Amino acid sequence: AGVAALDALIGIASSDEEKKAIKFANNLSNGLKANDVDFEFLAAVSRALGRMAMGAANVDYVEFEVTRALEWLRTERSDRRLAATLTLKELARNAPTAFYAKTNQVSGHGGSNEFLDHIWPVLHDPQPIVRVCAADALAECLKILVERKQRSNTALLCQMHSSMMEGFQKRHSKARGGGVIGVGAQPSPVGIAEIEAGQHSSLLVVGDMLDHCGSFMLPRFDEVSCAVLELKSHPKALIRLEVVRIIPRLACRSPKSFGRRYLKESLAFLIDSASNTPPPRVGVDLRPASFYAIGQLAIAMSDSNGDGVMRSTIQIVRGTEKEKGPTQPCKIIYDTKGEGDIYSRLDEIFTLVRSGLQKARQGSSSCELNCGADLVEALGAHAETYIPDLLDNMFQSGLSEDLISCLRSISSRLPDVKAMIEYRLLQELSICLAGTSFAQSEPRPLHPNGVLKGHMLTSSIRSMYIRNTADDREEKSSTTSINMSTNQADVMKLVLSLRTLGSFENSSRDGMGGYSLFATLLPFVRDVVAQYLAHPSSDVRREAALTCCLLLLPYGHEIGQSCRDGISRAKVSSFSSCSGKLLSEVLSKLLRVAVSDPSALVRHCVVRALDDRYDHYLCQAHNLPPLFLLLQDEALTVRASALHLLGRLARLNPAPILPALRRTLIELVLELR
């Protein structure tokens, strides 16, 4: 809690910034020197130190922390090494210039880097968490070296590559103390641990160099790929996990070479890792990382023209020029139009993803969801046959941020399935918000024959429509369940559902649904969403208000502008006749919330959300009194937004608005005097 408070106060202005910086730096430095502290504490302290390092006046403090961290890298204590790597990572990320000037040394032999000279023993530390943090610090250092191309870094990178390959080339031939074991002898436990630490550190360095060293790794791609894939059957689960993470990064660095030589065995290894449940005593589960790696591998192997993934299988076909003479060589054609390794296993991969979604508990299926979305992103139209079953299992995992993100990715890649996704998502949102599905209601269009004043409603829209008569509202109220729970999990789910429902206004912007879609949602907004304006949680009330404002009127159909310009008056009058009552009812509730909600943030959000789409309605006389009350709000931001809103409305209906604005101006001037 103390570290979090210091972190929050770093950006707050002070009358004596120098004294504040010294006091904060001393407290945070003492936190790094504390004994018997856990990783979370050290990570929080290092993040706060990184934020302090962003100030231009703290250069001396940054140099001191870098110097001390470099000294701690030379120690044998794992806790000191952990604190040093965390600190160096944050300082390199937030103060790269000071970090580079302190660690880089230029000489006649091309120079050296003090950080790189001392990081290798830390990368072989017995503790895996120390090795991972050292690799993260190395990645930040490599990013700085590559971005500053003042001189060639080839010598440093070659040294790193040589040290990395030494870790791969070690075999179980070391005994305790480093002696060589005779033929048939077994290495000691200490020797095995040292070798495994070296292999793990080499895998971590491979990932950093693939991400930040650019073309340096291309001439060494085959050597590194073979060394990495040799460890795919390693008995240590931690090392196999790192191999899983590196495979898509290898494919991304050189897709064609990887596809020709290593794709088949890599894909088989990932599928096998995603299929097998770890033994009870093994603490590392490879399945989440394997699912994520399969999706990223498919994206890495995507064809540049967007037509699925590259087909890696090469078929040799003999030509027809053999009859030209015995001296004429036979023409060999390399046909790459075969199915390829990924296409040949699509059924197995999608079956595995669906099985993973079925087995995963709600909220714990992030990797499987992302894998399915990545596969669709990479395959494009080739994945359409798998979409219906995949969507069934994705929705069974429950509503979550990952599900919404994956559904957006799929709908943007395959526009033809967007309507299906929206329909399923509306059902899911209705169950979450109202306790009932759209499909449970008997379809009844707004007007006979499914016509909304000249706009034909599609069959899917009609099936989602909630009945709008008074009798139907009474019947529906008995089945609708408004969740007023203040449980944190329920609040988060309600906020996500309301926010996702509000995103359906994009359909009107894209021309998909237009008036039909938002008119279909109007009864649901009135009967369900507007009820959450009275929820005990301010977060839910804010999202409910924003969702109402987004769905009451679609973008691109500003009623006020149409009336002012005399354009499409028939369309405006027909819109008002069929949905004006619904809109006015919800708008009245929004104005009451803007005036009386106990949260100033909610009031401000409502006023800001009532943009120029609502000017035609807000300028009416019966809607002006609540807006005038906003000028007396206790929050300055609300009063300022209300003045801006009334000033915009004064152009449409100046007679009742301008006198009130004049009185407000006189009161402000008198208050200033």
Side-chain angles (χ1 to χ4, degrees), residues 278-314:
R281 295 184 179 180
V282 177
V284 179
D285 190 358
L286 301 183
R287 290 175 296 176
S290 300
F291 278 112
Y292 181 77
I294 290 173
Q296 291 298 305
L297 178 61
I299 291 180
M301 299 300 298
S302 298
D303 199 346
S304 57
N305 58 12
D307 185 21
V309 298
M310 291 186 292
R311 304 177 184 272
S312 57
T313 300
I314 297 179

Side-chain angles (χ1 to χ4, degrees), residues 450-472:
V451 179
L452 176 59
K453 294 295 184 180
H455 297 276
M456 183 66 69
L457 296 177
T458 62
S459 59
S460 60
I461 295 296
R462 286 201 301 270
S463 66
M464 291 187 290
Y465 180 69
I466 301 177
R467 293 173 292 180
N468 191 27
T469 63
D471 294 339
D472 293 337

